[in-house]
Amino acid sequence: MTALSNDEAECVVGIEDFSRSTVAPVAPEWAKGRAPDPKLLVRAAELGLTRLEVPVADGGLGYSFALKARACEVLAAADFGFAMSVVNTHNAALKLAQFGSHELKASHLPALLWGQASACTALTERTTGSDFAAIEMRAVKVAGGWVLDGEKTWITNARNAALAIVYAQCGEVGDRSGIGAFLVDLTAPGCRRYAISSAFAQSSTGTGGFTLSGYELTDEHLLVEPGQAFTSIMLEINGARTYVAAMCCGMLDSALSLCTTYGAQRHSFGRPLAAHQAWRLPLAQAETDLAAARSLVQSATNCITSGEDAQLLSAQAKIYAVSTCQKHLPVLLHAMGAEGLRQEYPYARHLGAAQIAALVDGSTEMLLERVSRLARPVPTLIKN
Ligand SMILES: Cc1cc2nc3c(=O)[nH]c(=O)nc-3n(C[C@H](O)[C@H](O)[C@H](O)COP(=O)(O)OP(=O)(O)OC[C@H]3O[C@@H](n4cnc5c(N)ncnc54)[C@H](O)[C@@H]3O)c2cc1C
């Protein structure tokens, strides 16, 4: 088990309080379309949420991945969309710290680290999501820089983000070694953005897209070179799969807690709901599957922390945690009777979020495919 340091444990206490006392009470409004108050991102940053893994030399906290996974779990218990939004800003800041020039960091990092601006990571396009290698956004080399053309869509934070890490094809479409990662200022001329609203994509996720037309960048904005960008994002995505799995555990945990409290107070046939064995057993099943999901998250976290290959465990953790949420959240909602449908309860929000979790950072089908290749490899299949 990856233990947290004393400082990290203290940080978790602050995040738990923030999640419970500040985020959870306002999150129901986000399901109605209201955008989160920007002051919440500032408060999240003060608690360290946008700096967790960023090196101390770059103004970050230099904390562990284990803390990030735990922080994501705690925040998602209140609202998955807000947790996704904050962690995406964190990840972009980390990428900038790891690959950016001194000048780029000086210009952009402080605003991200202190919650003055948000950021996103943009891979998905209208024509391709799961098949990342097929992206069509073009990056053409010109003297002293690059020109980007194309569109990204279904991007967390794209609605308001100041910056994006944009993946674009510098060579031929379909060539994964031609993909590079660029730092793009989404407020500059040449960028046109739009919001995506849907029943599921809560406003707290800030989902949107943008088009870049003849968008000029200097050479230093190429953060990760073609040849490295594809491999590097595929490695990072193991972390994303693990923290999304942790977020699912957070949502199910909060749903179980609320249901348990309700079952002790609400009476039927002269007894609390919780006194009826038939009412309690589905909760016990959810509790058991939650423990199994947490165990997989922990194993994947240990693997990432020790620098081992986490592809298999992170895929298994996400598949299991997502499907556990998809299976048990409707059951818990049912156990609440009509009351569970009230907007102040998070059941409907968490259900929508579980559907989103099943798509982001590798859909369930893509991950099952990965597991089938890695768990018991068939020699002719393992190449791709
Ligand atoms: C709220 C939200 C936030 C998001 N945030 C981001 C973000 O920040 N950055 C970003 O780049 N993207 C983001 N995405 C996009 C997300 O990564 C994609 O939705 C995901 O990669 C799936 O791609 P797609 O939606 O195009 O589905 P497709 O790839 O078109 O797949 C459609 C369906 O077919 C299945 N499928 C596809 N190929 C196969 C196959 N070979 N075998 C079997 N089944 C298959 C998929 O599992 C899926 O169920 C976000 C999406 C949502 C909903």
Side-chain angles (χ1 to χ4, degrees):
M1 165 138 176
T2 313
L4 300 182
S5 70
N6 288 343
D7 285 351
E8 289 177 332
E10 209 171 293
C11 183
V12 171
V13 173
I15 297 165
E16 280 170 345
D17 181 57
F18 173 63
S19 178
R20 202 176 34 244
S21 321
T22 308
V23 179
V26 291
E29 289 301 313
W30 304 337
K32 297 182 205 161
R34 187 168 298 171
D37 184 336
K39 284 189 197 133
L40 277 187
L41 179 59
V42 175
R43 182 68 194 123
E46 285 166 0
L47 290 165
L49 281 160
T50 49
R51 294 174 287 141
L52 297 175
E53 288 186 296
V54 177
V56 174
D58 291 307
L61 295 166
Y63 286 162
S64 65
F65 175 77
L67 173 63
K68 176 156 104 175
R70 178 76 188 125
C72 285
E73 176 176 352
V74 168
L75 264 193
D79 191 75
F80 175 89
F82 186 70
M84 280 291 280
S85 171
V86 172
V87 79
N88 270 275
T89 294
H90 170 278
N91 293 346
L94 180 59
K95 193 104 187 172
L96 178 56
Q98 287 169 331
F99 294 98
S101 65
H102 181 72
E103 288 71 25
L104 278 187
K105 290 192 217 182
S107 314
H108 299 293
L109 252 187
L112 298 184
L113 297 183
W114 291 102
Q116 309 296 337
S118 62
C120 56
T121 298
L123 290 79
T124 303
E125 301 181 356
R126 277 188 198 268
T127 50
T128 188
S130 303
D131 187 6
F132 168 48
I135 57 168
E136 292 178 358
M137 178 172 275
R138 304 302 306 231
V140 175
K141 185 79 187 87
V142 293
W146 297 83
V147 176
L148 269 57
D149 280 284
E151 183 182 350
K152 295 290 176 184
T153 195
W154 283 107
I155 307 300
T156 299
N157 283 345
R159 217 176 270 197
N160 305 306
L163 292 170
I165 311 287
V166 173
Y167 287 78
Q169 181 54 265
C170 307
E172 296 300 316
V173 171
D175 175 11
R176 52 183 70 177
S177 69
I179 294 173
F182 296 83
L183 183 73
V184 169
D185 178 350
L186 295 180
T187 65
C191 173
R192 198 169 43 83
R193 75 168 103 201
Y194 55 88
I196 301 176
S197 299
S198 82
F200 279 174
Q202 304 103 319
S203 55
S204 54
T205 321
T207 321
F210 55 87
T211 306
L212 302 179
S213 310
Y215 190 100
E216 295 176 12
L217 290 168
T218 63
D219 278 329
E220 71 169 346
H221 289 83
L222 174 62
L223 289 186
V224 196
E225 305 223 348
Q228 291 172 17
F230 187 89
T231 318
S232 113
I233 190 83
M234 285 300 129
L235 276 177
E236 280 164 41
I237 217 161
N238 295 328
R241 287 168 185 166
T242 304
Y243 69 63
V244 170
M247 289 180 183
C248 288
C249 292
M251 290 194 286
L252 191 57
D253 189 46
S254 79
L256 265 164
S257 292
L258 289 165
C259 205
T260 307
T261 306
Y262 186 73
Q265 291 161 357
R266 173 84 173 182
H267 283 62
S268 82
F269 301 94
R271 292 196 293 163
L273 286 174
H276 298 286
Q277 191 182 49
W279 187 88
R280 285 198 314 270
L281 295 189
L283 274 71
Q285 187 60 59
E287 205 75 75
T288 305
D289 286 346
L290 173 59
R294 278 203 165 121
S295 184
L296 275 170
V297 168
Q298 191 59 61
S299 299
T301 301
N302 292 347
C303 206
I304 289 168
T305 307
S306 62
E308 291 165 55
D309 184 350
Q311 276 190 83
L312 178 59
L313 274 170
S314 62
Q316 289 174 321
K318 183 166 178 277
I319 292 165
Y320 194 78
V322 165
S323 61
T324 295
C325 262
Q326 289 175 315
K327 178 176 160 193
H328 291 295
L329 285 172
V331 175
L332 297 177
L333 169 60
H334 183 71
M336 296 280 297
E339 280 300 296
L341 297 167
R342 286 192 191 277
Q343 207 131 26
E344 57 259 38
Y345 285 111
Y347 294 94
R349 259 185 309 124
H350 284 351
L351 262 169
Q355 291 304 116
I356 292 169
L359 285 172
V360 294
D361 299 308
S363 73
T364 300
E365 288 72 21
M366 293 297 102
L367 298 184
L368 284 168
E369 175 71 11
R370 187 108 323 241
V371 171
S372 74
R373 283 164 191 261
L374 293 172
R376 293 170 201 269
V378 179
T380 50
L381 284 180
I382 45 183
K383 263 192 155 177
N384 292 326

Coordinates of all heavy atoms in Angstrom, one line a residue, residues 249-332:
C249 N -15.0 5.4 -7.3 CA -15.1 4.9 -5.9 C -15.6 6.0 -5.0 O -16.5 5.8 -4.1 CB -13.7 4.5 -5.4 SG -13.1 3.0 -6.2
G250 N -15.2 7.3 -5.2 CA -15.6 8.4 -4.4 C -17.1 8.6 -4.6 O -17.9 8.8 -3.6
M251 N -17.6 8.5 -5.8 CA -19.0 8.7 -6.1 C -19.9 7.6 -5.4 O -20.9 7.9 -4.8 CB -19.3 8.7 -7.6 CG -18.8 10.0 -8.3 SD -19.4 10.1 -10.0 CE -18.6 8.9 -10.8
L252 N -19.4 6.4 -5.6 CA -20.2 5.3 -5.0 C -20.2 5.3 -3.4 O -21.2 5.1 -2.8 CB -19.6 3.9 -5.5 CG -20.5 2.7 -5.1 CD1 -21.9 2.8 -5.7 CD2 -19.9 1.4 -5.7
D253 N -19.1 5.7 -2.9 CA -18.9 5.9 -1.4 C -19.9 6.9 -0.9 O -20.6 6.7 0.1 CB -17.5 6.3 -1.1 CG -17.2 6.2 0.4 OD1 -17.6 5.2 1.0 OD2 -16.7 7.2 0.9
S254 N -20.0 8.1 -1.6 CA -20.9 9.1 -1.1 C -22.4 8.7 -1.3 O -23.2 8.9 -0.4 CB -20.7 10.4 -1.9 OG -21.3 10.4 -3.1
A255 N -22.7 7.9 -2.4 CA -24.0 7.5 -2.6 C -24.4 6.5 -1.5 O -25.6 6.5 -1.0 CB -24.2 6.8 -4.0
L256 N -23.5 5.6 -1.1 CA -23.7 4.6 -0.1 C -24.0 5.3 1.3 O -24.9 4.9 2.1 CB -22.6 3.7 0.0 CG -22.7 2.3 -0.7 CD1 -21.4 1.7 -0.9 CD2 -23.7 1.4 -0.1
S257 N -23.1 6.3 1.6 CA -23.3 7.0 2.9 C -24.6 7.6 3.0 O -25.3 7.5 4.0 CB -22.2 8.1 3.0 OG -20.9 7.5 3.1
L258 N -25.0 8.3 1.9 CA -26.3 9.0 2.0 C -27.5 8.0 2.1 O -28.4 8.3 2.9 CB -26.5 9.9 0.7 CG -25.6 11.1 0.6 CD1 -25.6 11.7 -0.8 CD2 -26.1 12.2 1.6
C259 N -27.4 6.9 1.4 CA -28.4 5.9 1.4 C -28.5 5.3 2.8 O -29.6 5.1 3.4 CB -28.0 4.9 0.4 SG -29.4 4.0 -0.2
T260 N -27.3 5.0 3.4 CA -27.3 4.4 4.8 C -28.0 5.4 5.8 O -28.8 4.9 6.6 CB -25.9 4.1 5.2 OG1 -25.3 3.4 4.2 CG2 -25.8 3.4 6.5
T261 N -27.6 6.6 5.7 CA -28.2 7.6 6.6 C -29.7 7.7 6.5 O -30.5 7.7 7.4 CB -27.6 9.0 6.4 OG1 -26.2 8.9 6.5 CG2 -28.1 10.1 7.4
Y262 N -30.1 7.7 5.2 CA -31.6 7.8 4.9 C -32.3 6.6 5.4 O -33.4 6.6 6.0 CB -31.8 7.9 3.4 CG -33.2 8.2 3.0 CD1 -33.8 9.4 3.2 CD2 -33.9 7.2 2.4 CE1 -35.1 9.6 2.9 CE2 -35.3 7.4 2.0 CZ -35.9 8.6 2.3 OH -37.2 8.8 1.9
G263 N -31.7 5.4 5.2 CA -32.3 4.1 5.6 C -32.5 4.0 7.1 O -33.4 3.2 7.6
A264 N -31.7 4.7 7.9 CA -31.8 4.7 9.3 C -33.0 5.6 9.8 O -33.6 5.4 10.8 CB -30.5 5.1 10.0
Q265 N -33.3 6.6 9.0 CA -34.3 7.6 9.4 C -35.7 7.3 8.8 O -36.7 7.5 9.5 CB -33.9 9.0 8.9 CG -32.7 9.5 9.6 CD -32.0 10.7 8.9 OE1 -32.3 11.0 7.7 NE2 -30.9 11.2 9.5
R266 N -35.8 6.8 7.6 CA -37.0 6.6 6.9 C -37.7 5.3 7.4 O -37.0 4.3 7.5 CB -36.8 6.5 5.4 CG -38.0 6.2 4.6 CD -38.9 7.3 4.3 NE -39.9 7.0 3.4 CZ -40.8 7.9 3.0 NH1 -40.7 9.2 3.4 NH2 -41.8 7.6 2.1
H267 N -38.9 5.4 7.8 CA -39.6 4.2 8.3 C -40.6 3.6 7.2 O -41.2 4.3 6.5 CB -40.4 4.5 9.6 CG -39.5 4.6 10.8 ND1 -38.5 5.5 10.9 CD2 -39.4 3.8 11.9 CE1 -37.9 5.4 12.0 NE2 -38.4 4.4 12.7
S268 N -40.7 2.3 7.2 CA -41.8 1.6 6.5 C -42.3 0.4 7.3 O -41.4 -0.2 7.9 CB -41.3 1.2 5.1 OG -40.7 0.0 5.2
F269 N -43.6 0.2 7.4 CA -44.1 -0.9 8.2 C -43.6 -0.9 9.6 O -43.2 -1.9 10.2 CB -43.9 -2.2 7.5 CG -44.5 -2.2 6.1 CD1 -43.7 -1.9 5.0 CD2 -45.8 -2.5 5.9 CE1 -44.3 -1.9 3.7 CE2 -46.4 -2.5 4.6 CZ -45.6 -2.2 3.5
G270 N -43.5 0.3 10.2 CA -43.2 0.5 11.6 C -41.7 0.3 11.9 O -41.3 0.3 13.1
R271 N -40.9 0.2 11.0 CA -39.4 0.0 11.2 C -38.6 0.9 10.3 O -39.1 1.2 9.2 CB -39.0 -1.5 11.0 CG -39.6 -2.4 12.1 CD -38.9 -3.7 12.1 NE -39.1 -4.5 10.9 CZ -38.4 -5.5 10.5 NH1 -37.4 -5.9 11.3 NH2 -38.6 -6.2 9.4
P272 N -37.4 1.2 10.7 CA -36.5 1.9 9.7 C -36.3 1.0 8.5 O -36.2 -0.2 8.6 CB -35.2 2.1 10.5 CG -35.5 1.9 11.9 CD -36.7 1.0 12.0
L273 N -36.1 1.7 7.3 CA -35.8 0.9 6.1 C -34.6 -0.1 6.3 O -34.7 -1.2 5.9 CB -35.5 1.8 4.9 CG -36.6 2.6 4.3 CD1 -36.0 3.6 3.3 CD2 -37.6 1.7 3.6
A274 N -33.6 0.5 7.1 CA -32.4 -0.3 7.3 C -32.7 -1.6 8.1 O -31.8 -2.5 8.2 CB -31.3 0.5 7.9
A275 N -33.8 -1.6 8.8 CA -34.1 -2.8 9.6 C -34.7 -4.0 8.8 O -34.8 -5.1 9.2 CB -35.1 -2.5 10.7
H276 N -35.0 -3.6 7.5 CA -35.6 -4.7 6.6 C -34.4 -5.3 5.9 O -33.7 -4.6 5.1 CB -36.5 -4.1 5.6 CG -37.7 -3.5 6.2 ND1 -38.8 -4.2 6.7 CD2 -38.1 -2.2 6.4 CE1 -39.7 -3.4 7.2 NE2 -39.3 -2.1 7.0
Q277 N -34.2 -6.6 6.1 CA -33.0 -7.3 5.5 C -33.0 -7.1 4.0 O -31.9 -6.9 3.4 CB -33.0 -8.7 5.9 CG -31.7 -9.4 5.5 CD -31.7 -10.9 5.8 OE1 -32.6 -11.6 5.5 NE2 -30.6 -11.3 6.5
A278 N -34.2 -7.2 3.3 CA -34.2 -7.1 1.9 C -33.8 -5.8 1.4 O -33.3 -5.6 0.2 CB -35.6 -7.4 1.4
W279 N -33.9 -4.7 2.2 CA -33.5 -3.4 1.8 C -32.0 -3.3 2.0 O -31.3 -2.6 1.2 CB -34.2 -2.3 2.7 CG -33.9 -0.9 2.3 CD1 -34.6 -0.2 1.4 CD2 -32.9 -0.1 2.7 NE1 -34.1 1.1 1.2 CE2 -33.0 1.2 2.1 CE3 -31.8 -0.2 3.6 CZ2 -32.1 2.2 2.3 CZ3 -30.9 0.9 3.9 CH2 -31.1 2.1 3.2
R280 N -31.4 -4.0 3.0 CA -30.0 -3.8 3.3 C -29.1 -4.6 2.4 O -28.0 -4.1 2.1 CB -29.7 -4.4 4.7 CG -30.1 -3.5 5.9 CD -29.4 -3.9 7.1 NE -29.4 -5.3 7.4 CZ -30.3 -6.0 8.1 NH1 -31.4 -5.4 8.6 NH2 -30.2 -7.3 8.3
L281 N -29.6 -5.7 1.9 CA -28.6 -6.6 1.1 C -28.1 -5.9 -0.2 O -26.8 -6.1 -0.4 CB -29.3 -7.9 0.8 CG -29.7 -8.8 2.0 CD1 -30.1 -10.2 1.6 CD2 -28.5 -8.9 3.0
P282 N -28.8 -5.2 -0.9 CA -28.2 -4.5 -2.1 C -27.1 -3.6 -1.7 O -26.1 -3.4 -2.4 CB -29.4 -3.8 -2.8 CG -30.6 -4.4 -2.2 CD -30.3 -5.0 -0.9
L283 N -27.3 -2.9 -0.5 CA -26.2 -2.0 -0.1 C -25.0 -2.8 0.3 O -23.8 -2.3 0.0 CB -26.7 -1.2 1.2 CG -27.5 0.1 0.9 CD1 -28.9 -0.2 0.3 CD2 -27.6 1.0 2.1
A284 N -25.2 -4.0 0.9 CA -24.0 -4.8 1.2 C -23.3 -5.2 0.0 O -22.0 -5.3 0.0 CB -24.5 -6.0 2.0
Q285 N -24.0 -5.5 -1.1 CA -23.4 -5.9 -2.4 C -22.6 -4.8 -2.9 O -21.4 -5.0 -3.4 CB -24.5 -6.4 -3.4 CG -23.9 -7.0 -4.6 CD -23.0 -8.2 -4.3 OE1 -23.5 -9.2 -3.8 NE2 -21.8 -8.2 -4.7
A286 N -23.2 -3.6 -2.9 CA -22.5 -2.4 -3.4 C -21.2 -2.1 -2.6 O -20.1 -1.8 -3.1 CB -23.4 -1.2 -3.3
E287 N -21.3 -2.3 -1.2 CA -20.2 -2.1 -0.3 C -19.0 -3.1 -0.7 O -17.9 -2.7 -0.7 CB -20.7 -2.4 1.1 CG -19.9 -1.7 2.2 CD -20.2 -0.2 2.3 OE1 -21.3 0.2 2.8 OE2 -19.3 0.6 1.9
T288 N -19.4 -4.3 -1.0 CA -18.4 -5.3 -1.3 C -17.7 -5.0 -2.6 O -16.5 -5.1 -2.7 CB -19.1 -6.7 -1.4 OG1 -19.8 -6.9 -0.1 CG2 -18.1 -7.8 -1.6
D289 N -18.5 -4.6 -3.6 CA -17.9 -4.3 -4.9 C -17.0 -3.0 -4.8 O -16.0 -2.9 -5.5 CB -19.0 -4.1 -6.0 CG -19.5 -5.5 -6.4 OD1 -18.9 -6.5 -6.1 OD2 -20.6 -5.5 -7.0
L290 N -17.4 -2.1 -3.9 CA -16.6 -0.9 -3.7 C -15.3 -1.2 -3.1 O -14.2 -0.7 -3.6 CB -17.4 0.1 -2.8 CG -16.6 1.3 -2.4 CD1 -16.2 2.2 -3.6 CD2 -17.5 2.2 -1.4
A291 N -15.3 -2.2 -2.2 CA -14.0 -2.6 -1.6 C -13.1 -3.2 -2.6 O -11.9 -3.0 -2.6 CB -14.3 -3.5 -0.4
A292 N -13.7 -4.0 -3.5 CA -12.9 -4.6 -4.6 C -12.3 -3.6 -5.5 O -11.2 -3.7 -5.9 CB -13.7 -5.7 -5.3
A293 N -13.2 -2.6 -5.9 CA -12.7 -1.5 -6.8 C -11.6 -0.8 -6.2 O -10.6 -0.4 -6.8 CB -13.9 -0.6 -7.1
R294 N -11.7 -0.5 -4.9 CA -10.7 0.3 -4.2 C -9.4 -0.5 -4.2 O -8.3 0.1 -4.3 CB -11.1 0.6 -2.8 CG -12.0 1.8 -2.7 CD -12.0 2.4 -1.3 NE -12.6 3.7 -1.3 CZ -13.7 4.1 -0.6 NH1 -14.2 3.2 0.2 NH2 -14.1 5.3 -0.7
S295 N -9.5 -1.8 -4.0 CA -8.3 -2.6 -4.0 C -7.6 -2.6 -5.3 O -6.3 -2.5 -5.4 CB -8.8 -4.0 -3.6 OG -7.8 -4.8 -3.5
L296 N -8.3 -2.6 -6.4 CA -7.7 -2.5 -7.7 C -7.1 -1.1 -7.9 O -6.0 -1.0 -8.5 CB -8.7 -2.7 -8.8 CG -9.0 -4.2 -9.2 CD1 -10.2 -4.3 -10.1 CD2 -7.8 -4.8 -9.9
V297 N -7.7 0.0 -7.4 CA -7.2 1.3 -7.5 C -5.9 1.4 -6.8 O -4.9 1.9 -7.2 CB -8.2 2.4 -7.0 CG1 -7.5 3.7 -6.8 CG2 -9.4 2.5 -7.9
Q298 N -5.9 0.8 -5.6 CA -4.6 0.8 -4.8 C -3.5 0.0 -5.5 O -2.4 0.5 -5.5 CB -5.0 0.1 -3.4 CG -3.9 0.3 -2.4 CD -3.6 1.7 -2.1 OE1 -4.5 2.4 -1.6 NE2 -2.4 2.2 -2.4
S299 N -3.8 -1.1 -6.1 CA -2.8 -1.9 -6.8 C -2.2 -1.1 -8.0 O -1.0 -1.1 -8.2 CB -3.4 -3.2 -7.3 OG -3.8 -4.0 -6.2
A300 N -3.1 -0.5 -8.7 CA -2.7 0.3 -9.9 C -1.8 1.5 -9.4 O -0.8 1.8 -10.0 CB -3.9 0.8 -10.7
T301 N -2.2 2.1 -8.3 CA -1.5 3.2 -7.7 C -0.1 2.8 -7.3 O 0.9 3.5 -7.6 CB -2.2 3.8 -6.5 OG1 -3.5 4.3 -7.0 CG2 -1.5 5.0 -5.9
N302 N 0.0 1.6 -6.6 CA 1.3 1.1 -6.2 C 2.2 0.9 -7.4 O 3.4 1.2 -7.4 CB 1.1 -0.2 -5.5 CG 0.4 0.0 -4.1 OD1 0.3 1.1 -3.6 ND2 0.0 -1.1 -3.5
C303 N 1.6 0.4 -8.5 CA 2.4 0.1 -9.7 C 2.9 1.3 -10.3 O 4.1 1.4 -10.7 CB 1.4 -0.6 -10.6 SG 2.1 -1.7 -11.8
I304 N 2.1 2.4 -10.4 CA 2.5 3.7 -10.9 C 3.6 4.3 -10.0 O 4.7 4.7 -10.5 CB 1.3 4.6 -11.1 CG1 0.4 4.2 -12.2 CG2 1.8 6.1 -11.3 CD1 -0.9 4.8 -12.2
T305 N 3.4 4.2 -8.7 CA 4.4 4.8 -7.8 C 5.7 4.1 -7.9 O 6.8 4.8 -7.8 CB 3.8 4.7 -6.3 OG1 2.5 5.2 -6.3 CG2 4.7 5.4 -5.4
S306 N 5.7 2.8 -8.1 CA 7.0 2.1 -8.1 C 7.6 2.1 -9.5 O 8.7 1.5 -9.7 CB 6.8 0.6 -7.6 OG 5.9 0.0 -8.5
G307 N 7.0 2.8 -10.5 CA 7.5 2.9 -11.8 C 7.4 1.7 -12.7 O 8.0 1.5 -13.7
E308 N 6.5 0.7 -12.2 CA 6.3 -0.5 -13.0 C 5.3 -0.2 -14.1 O 4.6 0.8 -14.1 CB 5.8 -1.6 -12.1 CG 6.8 -2.2 -11.2 CD 6.2 -3.0 -10.1 OE1 5.4 -4.0 -10.4 OE2 6.3 -2.7 -8.9
D309 N 5.2 -1.1 -15.1 CA 4.2 -1.0 -16.1 C 2.8 -1.1 -15.6 O 2.4 -2.2 -15.1 CB 4.5 -2.0 -17.2 CG 3.5 -1.9 -18.4 OD1 2.6 -1.1 -18.3 OD2 3.8 -2.6 -19.4
A310 N 2.0 -0.1 -15.6 CA 0.7 -0.1 -15.0 C -0.5 -0.2 -16.0 O -1.6 0.0 -15.6 CB 0.5 1.2 -14.2
Q311 N -0.1 -0.6 -17.2 CA -1.2 -0.6 -18.3 C -2.3 -1.6 -17.9 O -3.5 -1.2 -17.9 CB -0.6 -1.2 -19.6 CG 0.1 -0.2 -20.4 CD 0.4 -0.8 -21.8 OE1 -0.5 -0.9 -22.6 NE2 1.6 -1.3 -21.9
L312 N -2.0 -2.8 -17.4 CA -3.0 -3.8 -17.1 C -3.8 -3.4 -15.9 O -5.0 -3.4 -16.0 CB -2.3 -5.2 -17.0 CG -3.2 -6.3 -16.6 CD1 -4.3 -6.5 -17.7 CD2 -2.5 -7.6 -16.4
L313 N -3.1 -3.1 -14.8 CA -3.8 -2.8 -13.6 C -4.7 -1.5 -13.7 O -5.8 -1.5 -13.1 CB -2.8 -2.7 -12.4 CG -2.5 -4.0 -11.8 CD1 -1.3 -3.9 -10.8 CD2 -3.7 -4.6 -11.1
S314 N -4.1 -0.5 -14.4 CA -4.9 0.7 -14.5 C -6.2 0.5 -15.3 O -7.3 1.0 -15.0 CB -4.1 1.9 -15.0 OG -3.7 1.6 -16.3
A315 N -6.0 -0.3 -16.4 CA -7.2 -0.7 -17.2 C -8.2 -1.4 -16.4 O -9.4 -1.2 -16.4 CB -6.8 -1.5 -18.4
Q316 N -7.7 -2.4 -15.6 CA -8.7 -3.2 -14.8 C -9.3 -2.4 -13.7 O -10.5 -2.6 -13.5 CB -7.9 -4.4 -14.2 CG -7.5 -5.5 -15.3 CD -6.6 -6.6 -14.7 OE1 -5.7 -6.3 -13.9 NE2 -6.8 -7.8 -15.1
A317 N -8.6 -1.5 -13.1 CA -9.2 -0.7 -12.1 C -10.3 0.2 -12.7 O -11.4 0.3 -12.1 CB -8.1 0.2 -11.4
K318 N -10.0 0.8 -13.8 CA -11.1 1.7 -14.4 C -12.3 0.8 -14.9 O -13.4 1.2 -14.6 CB -10.5 2.5 -15.5 CG -11.5 3.5 -16.1 CD -10.8 4.5 -17.0 CE -11.9 5.5 -17.6 NZ -12.5 5.0 -18.8
I319 N -12.0 -0.3 -15.6 CA -13.2 -1.1 -16.0 C -14.1 -1.5 -14.8 O -15.3 -1.3 -14.8 CB -12.7 -2.4 -16.7 CG1 -12.0 -2.1 -18.0 CG2 -13.9 -3.4 -16.9 CD1 -11.2 -3.3 -18.5
Y320 N -13.4 -1.9 -13.8 CA -14.2 -2.4 -12.6 C -14.9 -1.3 -11.8 O -16.1 -1.4 -11.5 CB -13.2 -3.2 -11.7 CG -14.1 -4.1 -10.7 CD1 -14.7 -5.3 -11.1 CD2 -14.3 -3.6 -9.4 CE1 -15.4 -6.0 -10.2 CE2 -15.0 -4.3 -8.5 CZ -15.6 -5.5 -8.9 OH -16.4 -6.2 -8.1
A321 N -14.2 -0.2 -11.6 CA -14.8 0.9 -10.8 C -15.9 1.5 -11.6 O -17.0 1.8 -11.0 CB -13.7 1.9 -10.5
V322 N -15.7 1.7 -12.9 CA -16.8 2.3 -13.7 C -18.0 1.4 -13.7 O -19.2 1.8 -13.5 CB -16.3 2.6 -15.1 CG1 -17.5 2.8 -16.1 CG2 -15.3 3.7 -15.2
S323 N -17.8 0.1 -14.0 CA -19.0 -0.8 -14.1 C -19.6 -1.0 -12.8 O -20.9 -1.2 -12.7 CB -18.6 -2.1 -14.8 OG -17.6 -2.8 -14.0
T324 N -18.9 -0.9 -11.7 CA -19.4 -1.0 -10.3 C -20.4 0.1 -10.1 O -21.5 0.0 -9.6 CB -18.3 -1.1 -9.3 OG1 -17.6 -2.3 -9.5 CG2 -18.8 -1.1 -7.9
C325 N -20.0 1.3 -10.5 CA -20.8 2.5 -10.4 C -22.1 2.3 -11.2 O -23.2 2.6 -10.8 CB -20.1 3.8 -10.9 SG -19.4 4.7 -9.5
Q326 N -21.9 1.9 -12.5 CA -23.0 1.8 -13.4 C -24.0 0.7 -12.9 O -25.2 0.9 -13.1 CB -22.5 1.4 -14.8 CG -21.8 2.5 -15.5 CD -21.2 2.1 -16.8 OE1 -20.6 1.0 -16.9 NE2 -21.4 2.9 -17.9
K327 N -23.5 -0.3 -12.2 CA -24.4 -1.3 -11.7 C -25.1 -0.9 -10.4 O -26.3 -1.1 -10.2 CB -23.5 -2.5 -11.4 CG -24.2 -3.7 -10.8 CD -23.2 -4.9 -10.6 CE -23.7 -5.9 -9.6 NZ -22.7 -6.8 -9.3
H328 N -24.4 -0.2 -9.5 CA -25.0 0.0 -8.1 C -25.6 1.4 -8.0 O -26.5 1.5 -7.1 CB -23.9 -0.2 -7.1 CG -23.4 -1.6 -6.9 ND1 -24.3 -2.6 -6.5 CD2 -22.3 -2.2 -7.2 CE1 -23.6 -3.8 -6.5 NE2 -22.4 -3.5 -6.9
L329 N -25.2 2.4 -8.7 CA -25.9 3.7 -8.5 C -27.4 3.6 -8.7 O -28.2 4.2 -7.9 CB -25.2 4.8 -9.3 CG -23.8 5.2 -8.8 CD1 -23.2 6.2 -9.8 CD2 -23.9 6.0 -7.5
P330 N -27.8 3.0 -9.8 CA -29.3 2.9 -10.0 C -30.0 2.1 -8.8 O -31.1 2.5 -8.4 CB -29.5 2.1 -11.3 CG -28.2 2.3 -12.0 CD -27.1 2.4 -10.9
V331 N -29.3 1.1 -8.3 CA -29.9 0.3 -7.2 C -30.0 1.2 -5.9 O -31.0 1.2 -5.2 CB -29.0 -0.9 -6.9 CG1 -29.5 -1.7 -5.7 CG2 -28.9 -1.8 -8.2
L332 N -29.0 2.0 -5.7 CA -29.0 2.9 -4.5 C -30.0 4.0 -4.6 O -30.7 4.3 -3.7 CB -27.6 3.5 -4.2 CG -26.5 2.4 -3.9 CD1 -25.1 3.1 -3.8 CD2 -26.8 1.7 -2.7

